[in-house]
Amino acid sequence: MAQVLTDPGLRPAPHAVVVSSIRSVAQRVVELTLEPIGADPLPDWSPGAHVDVELPGGLIRSYSLCGDPADRQWRLAVLREDDSRGGSAYVHERLVVGQTLSVTTPVNRFPLVTAERYVFVAGGIGVTAILPMVVQACRAEIPWRLVYLGRSRSEMAYADRLEAFGDSVQLWPKDSHGPADLDALVGLDRAAAVYCCGPTRMIEQIERIGAAAGMPVHREFFHNEASIEGDEFEVELDRTGITVTVGAGQTIVDALEQAGVDVVTSCREGTCGTCETYVLEGVPDHRDRVLTPSERESNESMMICCSRSRTPLLVLDL
């Protein structure tokens, strides 16, 4: 079987870490503390960064770093997904303190820009990306407020910690508060930068609110509902000369795996960036939630787990 990984130039370097603690931070959510093996410290990171964690069996999963960037430890919070493909189930059921893992250098596609004020909106486990931003805003003495939505308070990770910020935080568990009126909760503040992470529908509503109010919206999705339907096309792997047909309704990753080519993937729906691959020829049909508009326009790379092609042939740096 041929084995081809996504381009190493796009893959962050791995680091060996040890799991020093595992604790519950909400119903169905556990926090992992990771420490370096040896004397060398873990790389620095900034709010909004995520890492890829390699789990036994070849599973790779992306998680936001949710601790304080000033700490020498890395903290991740993992939700036990109802429809787990193996990653969250392993973390909740089999991972143990003292276990070693391979974790990539942090990558930040959701950086916190300087602003006069911040409005943070978190939905469910999306709060993990927002927590370090709250820490940084406090440290920089920049005014902020957070709207945190969840199904129930017992499932809202770090709710007690966030409530300690008083009026700056509004928790909105749906089971006790009903559906959230995001227009009212987010409000109108053109001097504020809005940061949101959570379900697709929530983020799309925040984007509409921001566009109408002239408020810049920065967002990170953890699900992508884009269709993979489209016309059949060919993918040529430049390094090996292999050409694979990608059928209608088939992803590039699925077609490559069917042809015996292994690729590094994680989310498989275009939200994490793990499968980002350089494009040498052809025009991608970008359907991910990772690349910025300018990155899409450049067509230099694509997410092969969900995106397709606008041309009959794509040549990839694989």
Side-chain angles (χ1 to χ4, degrees), residues 238-280:
D238 182 68
R239 300 184 199 176
T240 63
I242 296 172
T243 298
V244 175
T245 299
V246 181
Q250 185 181 35
T251 67
I252 296 174
V253 164
D254 287 342
L256 293 178
E257 291 179 340
Q258 187 174 312
V261 179
D262 290 340
V263 292
V264 177
T265 65
S266 178
C267 71
R268 287 184 174 255
E269 55 183 33
T271 60
C272 70
T274 300
C275 69
E276 185 175 4
T277 303
Y278 284 122
V279 178
L280 302 181

Side-chain angles (χ1 to χ4, degrees), residues 86-110:
S88 70
Y90 182 90
V91 170
H92 278 254
E93 298 169 12
R94 301 177 61 186
L95 192 69
V96 296
V97 172
Q99 188 167 338
T100 59
L101 297 171
S102 179
V103 180
T104 61
T105 297
V107 172
N108 198 343
R109 293 184 174 273
F110 190 41

Side-chain angles (χ1 to χ4, degrees), residues 33-318:
T33 301
L34 308 179
E35 298 187 5
I37 295 176
D40 293 335
L42 294 171
D44 292 336
W45 60 280
S46 56
H50 74 270
V51 294
D52 289 348
V53 179
E54 184 174 348
L55 299 169
L59 293 173
I60 295 176
R61 295 293 180 264
S62 294
Y63 300 111
S64 295
L65 290 167
C66 63
D68 184 340
D71 290 344
R72 293 294 84 191
Q73 303 167 322
W74 287 351
R75 298 184 193 276
L76 317 172
V78 181
L79 170 69
R80 176 60 161 95
E81 299 279 1
D82 294 330
D83 55 351
S84 173
R85 292 180 290 115
S88 70
Y90 182 90
V91 170
H92 278 254
E93 298 169 12
R94 301 177 61 186
L95 192 69
V96 296
V97 172
Q99 188 167 338
T100 59
L101 297 171
S102 179
V103 180
T104 61
T105 297
V107 172
N108 198 343
R109 293 184 174 273
F110 190 41
L112 187 65
V113 301
T114 301
E116 290 184 36
R117 290 184 290 278
Y118 297 111
V119 176
F120 300 120
V121 185
I125 198 62
V127 75
T128 55
I130 298 297
L131 269 174
M133 298 184 180
V134 168
V135 171
Q136 180 160 313
C138 289
R139 188 167 286 144
E141 299 183 345
I142 298 174
W144 62 273
R145 59 189 181 87
L146 166 66
V147 177
Y148 181 13
L149 314 178
R151 292 192 295 188
S152 66
R153 194 185 185 289
S154 63
E155 296 180 81
M156 297 172 72
Y158 304 108
D160 290 342
R161 174 181 170 187
L162 288 166
E163 276 189 326
F165 288 104
D167 293 340
S168 294
V169 175
Q170 184 159 13
L171 301 185
W172 197 276
K174 186 177 181 180
D175 64 344
S176 59
H177 289 52
D181 181 351
L182 285 174
D183 287 272
L185 290 170
V186 172
L188 174 61
D189 185 351
R190 290 188 176 90
V194 181
Y195 276 78
C196 54
C197 183
T200 300
R201 290 182 182 178
M202 181 200 83
I203 293 177
E204 290 175 344
Q205 188 173 349
I206 298 297
E207 288 180 318
R208 288 193 293 270
I209 293 170
M215 300 164 64
V217 174
H218 308 263
R219 78 288 188 279
E220 183 172 67
F221 294 85
F222 53 69
H223 289 301
N224 182 21
E225 299 170 5
S227 169
I228 59 169
E229 297 299 322
D231 295 335
E232 179 179 288
F233 60 97
E234 304 289 316
V235 168
E236 179 183 328
L237 310 186
D238 182 68
R239 300 184 199 176
T240 63
I242 296 172
T243 298
V244 175
T245 299
V246 181
Q250 185 181 35
T251 67
I252 296 174
V253 164
D254 287 342
L256 293 178
E257 291 179 340
Q258 187 174 312
V261 179
D262 290 340
V263 292
V264 177
T265 65
S266 178
C267 71
R268 287 184 174 255
E269 55 183 33
T271 60
C272 70
T274 300
C275 69
E276 185 175 4
T277 303
Y278 284 122
V279 178
L280 302 181
E281 293 181 30
V283 180
D285 179 1
H286 298 288
R287 303 187 184 186
D288 65 278
R289 296 284 195 173
V290 178
L291 296 175
T292 64
S294 62
E295 288 171 332
R296 289 186 174 204
E297 187 176 347
S298 75
N299 289 322
E300 291 181 354
S301 67
M302 67 183 297
M303 305 303 153
I304 60 175
C305 69
C306 66
S307 297
R308 300 186 63 79
S309 180
R310 297 185 183 277
T311 51
L313 174 68
L314 281 178
V315 180
L316 303 180
D317 189 17
L318 291 175

